[in-house]
Amino acid sequence: MTRAADQPAFIPPKWVSWLIAGVPVFPPLYLAAFASLGLLRTLPLTARWVLFFFASTQLISSLFTPQPLLSLGLNTARTLFILAMISAGVYLRDSRNLRPLLWGELIIFATAWAYTLATQGFAGVQARLGHPYYYIVALGLIAAVALWIIVFWRGGSLWWRVPAGLLSVATFIAAGSRGPLLALVAGSAAAALLRLSRRGAIVIAACLAALVLTATYGPLSTFKPAQRLLTDQTTGREYVWKDAIAAWQSSPIGGVGPYQGGPYLTYLFKDGCQLTPTLTRNKYVCPTWLSRVYGIWLIAHNNVLHWLLETGIVGTLGLLILYFYVLALTVFKKDVFGAAILFGFTAIGMVDVVIAVPDAHFAELWWVVIGMGLLPRGQALTQSTSMRVALAA
């Protein structure tokens, strides 16, 4: 399916590839990453110090929150989860080993179309394509990720690449989310500039141009999700940002604590517990037990503001230092897919939160790419190390 020249130096066992493919369909599978935590010791000294600083700032921030003990417990659990995702990236080493994600993502796209059409018909698609447990924005974002995998995957036959690309594009348009469009443009531009990949740049630029033309003058001119992609409305995000800033100012050093920002985001909190828009349209309501804790998944709709809200200046400083360190290494290594993820997720991160874990696999993907970025160029796992990790998992 691929040329030998496009194979990474380290290829994980087949069962690991199947595990990666299954993650989008059943996200808890990413918990297998905890088996690779020990690999963080194999990182270069500078990378270990950066990781240590990141983890320390997350925990220290807890001491300056309104509820220090609760925040310390939650921050410890979240930081361990993040370190597990980073260690999975250290194990996989090369972003090309993430290609199996595409197959699981295609299943999600097919499920979204089948569920929306079966329960609401084409009117449901006109109201924006949905999924039982993926938010609409998430569908658009993973469609962008799928397009990056398809375009950057060298070699392979058209028999799978064309239908996979068409399904991804159709899902991207029907989701009608502008944040993923921002991610697709920024990530694709970064990847094209990094490797000067003419084919990738031409393919994605042509697709975007075709989208604008067909949505403006062509058959998509009456398709509401496509029209929504061309608008510039904030849909109330400015009120959420104001709430987040006010909450951070009430506890600027350590924030209000992880998963505790919901009640402070009054613009969102006042609407009560809501499931995904698709389930809501199908008249599913939150169960009583979920209604009591629904604030834990409310977000500040901006990556940096959300981290400031939950961990204050201390925790956000650790996040930014880790991010810029990995970004510099990724650019130096000319990792096209890694750069697309980092730059693309940064772009959508201005209007959404796509790095807060746990999530439906795209936030975890960002941290896995962070782990890959911590590795120096050309470093490879020894056979004995990879075997120990595989056995431990």
Side-chain angles (χ1 to χ4, degrees):
M1 186 173 289
T2 58
R3 293 194 293 264
D6 194 38
Q7 294 290 350
F10 167 74
I11 302 176
K14 284 287 186 183
W15 65 267
V16 174
S17 297
W18 281 104
L19 181 69
I20 294 171
V23 165
V25 181
F26 187 64
L29 289 175
Y30 49 52
L31 294 176
F34 279 91
S36 60
L37 267 171
L39 282 179
L40 295 179
R41 296 193 302 267
T42 67
L43 286 171
L45 183 60
T46 303
R48 278 182 280 161
W49 273 113
V50 171
L51 266 187
F52 176 76
F53 180 76
F54 165 76
S56 298
T57 56
Q58 305 312 296
L59 302 184
I60 291 172
S61 70
S62 305
L63 305 179
F64 301 94
T65 62
Q67 299 189 68
L69 289 180
L70 175 61
S71 297
L72 181 61
L74 292 173
N75 251 328
T76 300
R78 182 169 70 176
T79 303
L80 279 174
F81 188 96
I82 288 172
L83 291 177
M85 296 304 113
I86 291 175
S87 68
V90 175
Y91 170 69
L92 292 173
R93 314 198 72 74
D94 194 305
S95 61
R96 288 172 291 185
N97 287 324
L98 290 170
R99 289 167 175 168
L101 278 175
L102 175 63
W103 312 124
E105 290 171 348
L106 292 176
I107 292 175
I108 293 299
F109 301 157
T111 305
W113 281 95
Y115 182 80
T116 303
L117 289 172
T119 59
Q120 302 167 40
F122 187 70
V125 179
Q126 276 278 33
R128 296 175 71 188
L129 184 70
H131 190 275
Y133 54 91
Y134 275 86
Y135 273 81
I136 295 173
V137 175
L139 274 180
L141 182 58
I142 63 173
V145 172
L147 285 170
W148 286 328
I149 295 175
I150 293 168
V151 172
F152 300 147
W153 192 333
R154 297 180 181 178
S157 303
L158 292 178
W159 72 265
W160 68 264
R161 191 184 296 274
V162 171
L166 290 175
L167 179 58
S168 300
V169 169
T171 302
F172 183 88
I173 295 174
S177 293
R178 292 155 297 171
L181 178 60
L182 186 61
L184 183 63
V185 172
S188 302
L193 290 173
L194 192 63
R195 194 61 80 79
L196 295 178
S197 174
R198 293 181 181 178
R199 184 189 68 175
I202 290 173
V203 169
I204 294 178
C207 288
L208 292 173
L211 171 62
V212 172
L213 289 174
T214 56
T216 305
Y217 305 106
L220 292 179
S221 60
T222 58
F223 189 51
K224 293 179 181 178
Q227 294 302 303
R228 193 177 186 279
L229 288 172
L230 305 180
T231 64
D232 59 356
Q233 298 176 356
T234 60
T235 58
R237 280 174 170 81
E238 66 272 22
Y239 302 113
V240 180
W241 296 333
K242 289 179 181 178
D243 286 342
I245 292 172
W248 165 62
Q249 289 174 337
S250 70
S251 181
I253 299 177
V256 301
Y259 312 114
Q260 298 169 67
Y264 295 89
L265 302 175
T266 55
Y267 182 78
L268 299 175
F269 195 74
K270 62 181 174 56
D271 293 331
C273 181
Q274 296 182 21
L275 299 174
T276 66
T278 308
L279 292 177
T280 301
R281 291 202 302 261
N282 287 334
K283 304 191 184 307
Y284 287 97
V285 297
C286 284
T288 303
W289 65 269
L290 194 59
S291 299
R292 296 170 183 163
V293 296
Y294 77 95
I296 64 175
W297 69 74
L298 296 182
I299 57 174
H301 286 281
N302 178 285
N303 282 337
V304 175
L305 275 182
H306 190 77
W307 227 261
L308 280 171
L309 168 68
E310 295 193 337
T311 66
I313 295 174
V314 174
T316 305
L317 178 63
L319 172 71
L320 292 177
I321 287 179
L322 173 62
Y323 166 72
F324 284 114
Y325 177 73
V326 171
L327 191 66
L329 289 178
T330 301
V331 171
F332 174 73
K333 292 190 291 185
K334 298 188 183 299
D335 181 358
V336 175
F337 182 71
I341 292 292
L342 293 180
F343 281 95
F345 278 42
T346 299
I348 189 178
M350 294 189 294
V351 294
D352 233 307
V353 177
V354 292
I355 64 174
V357 292
D359 214 306
H361 97 275
F362 55 86
E364 288 74 15
L365 171 63
W366 193 82
W367 290 105
V368 169
V369 170
I370 289 286
M372 292 175 172
L374 288 170
L375 292 164
R377 183 166 58 180
Q379 181 175 326
L381 266 180
T382 64
Q383 184 177 4
S384 60
T385 302
S386 63
M387 289 180 64
R388 285 200 304 271
V389 174
L391 290 173

